[in-house]
């Protein structure tokens, strides 16, 4: 029977992986999305949308849909679904591969400040600048809402969830972004400090180069730890290798 691979998605890597797997003869691919974005980018293979109902619900889905392999290719900051994937794989015995793109590392000239959460980033901001570019996504901006003296520019694919800081300009855009574009945005809005999650990857790294070239500090929110006992592979090629589908 055709192997059925379930990809927990919502990332560029998940989309690339689905495209790689559907061209393998006889492989059935389903990508699962949380449903946070109203018009998701098109995906190869089958797509299902919405939560499973925790680890138990995911385990049930794996059994009911005869899944032979599970790939967690969710965003590095999507900690709950990764923990659920680890538990569901363990109770069902379905083999699981965890894909985590490597985090960003500072280079010469970078002025990075680590934070362990959005609240930690908010705490660091007032001493770093008054005009802030927030690129931490549309959720969780309540952590900055009490910073009534600062001016924020936020960027996300869809409008951010309130409460927001009182002085907030919203920019709606989907990456990838270029260094020239990011430099222009930082200058046009007179940005003094940036806040980002350590998402890693190329699509949103241009802002870090722009910040370095303009000498702006960046507050980098560190990733949640992987669940105990879980080790991750760094890219799509390594997932294909683990699944036994390496090669063209
Ligand atoms: P999360 O906190 O780990 O997930 C919360 C709940 O959403 C999960 O318990 C699960 O509900 C559901 N869920 C999450 N990912 C799912 C998926 N791929 N398929 C089905 N259900 C899913 O995750 P999050 O931070 O809210 O992120 C949600 C999705 O957005 C993820 O798939 C992630 O790849 C993508 N994303 C997140 C970020 C970010 O910064 N967090 C950035 C870009 C993309 P149940 O318990 O009911 O199953």
């Amino acid at each position: 029977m055709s192997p059925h691979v379930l990809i927990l998605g919502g990332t560029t890597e998940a989309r690339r992986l689905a495209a790689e797997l559907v061209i393998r003869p006889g492989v059935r691919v389903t990508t699962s999305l949380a449903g946070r974005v109203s018009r998701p980018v098109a995906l190869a293979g089958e797509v299902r949308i919405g939560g499973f109902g925790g680890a138990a619900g995911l385990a049930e889905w794996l059994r009911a849909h005869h899944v032979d392999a599970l790939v967690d290719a969710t965003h590095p900051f999507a900690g709950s679904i990764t923990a659920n994937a680890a538990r569901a794989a363990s109770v069902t015995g379905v083999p699981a591969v965890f894909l985590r793109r490597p985090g960003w590392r500072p280079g010469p000239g970078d002025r990075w400040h680590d934070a362990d959460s959005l609240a930690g980033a908010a705490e660091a901001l007032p001493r770093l600048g008054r005009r802030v570019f927030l690129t931490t996504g549309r959720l969780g901006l309540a952590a900055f809402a009490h910073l009534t003296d600062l001016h924020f520019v936020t960027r996300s694919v869809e409008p951010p969830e309130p409460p927001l800081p009182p002085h907030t300009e919203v920019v709606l855009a989907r990456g990838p972004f270029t260094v020239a574009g990011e430099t222009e945005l930082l200058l046009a809005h007179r940005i003094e400090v940036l806040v980002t999650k350590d998402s890693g990857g190329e699509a949103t790294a241009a802002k870090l180069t722009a910040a370095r070239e303009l000498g702006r500090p960046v507050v980098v929110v560190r990733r949640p730890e992987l669940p105990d006992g879980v080790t991750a592979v760094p890219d799509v090629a390594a997932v294909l290798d683990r699944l036994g589908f390496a090669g063209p």
Side-chain angles (χ1 to χ4, degrees):
M1 219 171 69
S2 318
H4 184 192
V5 181
L6 175 66
I7 303 170
L8 301 173
T11 57
T12 310
E13 289 83 354
R15 181 164 47 82
R16 286 195 194 132
L17 179 62
E20 285 285 344
L21 286 173
V22 291
I23 58 172
R24 264 82 179 168
V27 179
R28 180 178 168 205
V29 183
T30 304
T31 300
S32 174
L33 300 175
R36 303 279 190 275
V37 177
S38 55
R39 283 186 296 128
V41 178
L43 290 162
E46 298 167 46
V47 177
R48 69 159 301 283
I49 296 180
F52 295 94
L58 176 55
E60 185 47 39
W61 202 97
L62 296 176
R63 288 194 190 99
H65 295 82
H66 307 288
V67 172
D68 299 289
L70 171 65
V71 180
D72 171 30
T74 55
H75 191 270
F77 280 80
S80 309
I81 189 73
T82 294
N84 292 349
R87 278 200 293 277
S90 144
V91 299
T92 56
V94 171
V97 183
F98 295 83
L99 168 58
R100 277 292 169 284
R101 63 175 90 122
W104 290 315
R105 292 284 162 263
D110 279 324
R111 296 171 57 201
W112 288 13
H113 300 259
D114 281 355
D116 54 13
S117 62
L118 293 178
E123 204 180 314
L125 277 180
R127 63 191 154 80
L128 294 172
R130 300 180 64 77
R131 297 186 62 84
V132 184
F133 183 32
L134 262 188
T135 63
T136 52
R138 59 186 279 266
L139 301 175
L141 301 191
F144 303 91
H146 63 289
L147 296 172
T148 52
D149 290 345
L150 305 190
H151 182 95
F152 289 88
V153 176
T154 71
R155 182 173 63 196
S156 48
V157 176
E158 297 200 355
E161 195 90 352
L164 304 176
H167 308 294
T168 301
E169 280 176 72
V170 175
V171 175
L172 298 181
R174 194 196 291 264
F177 302 103
T178 63
V179 175
E182 299 292 58
T183 303
E184 198 181 311
L185 186 150
L186 297 184
L187 291 174
H189 291 279
R190 293 177 287 121
I191 296 297
E192 295 167 348
V193 54
L194 288 73
V195 183
T196 182
K197 292 175 175 172
D198 177 20
S199 299
E202 290 300 315
T204 58
K207 65 192 170 198
L208 302 172
T209 307
R212 177 172 60 239
E213 288 174 354
L214 294 172
R216 304 293 193 270
V218 181
V219 181
V220 180
V221 181
R222 288 294 159 207
R223 300 170 167 201
E225 298 287 331
L226 284 168
D228 279 349
V230 167
T231 52
V233 300
D235 53 31
V236 169
V239 175
L240 293 170
D241 193 41
R242 282 281 179 93
L243 294 175
F245 293 123

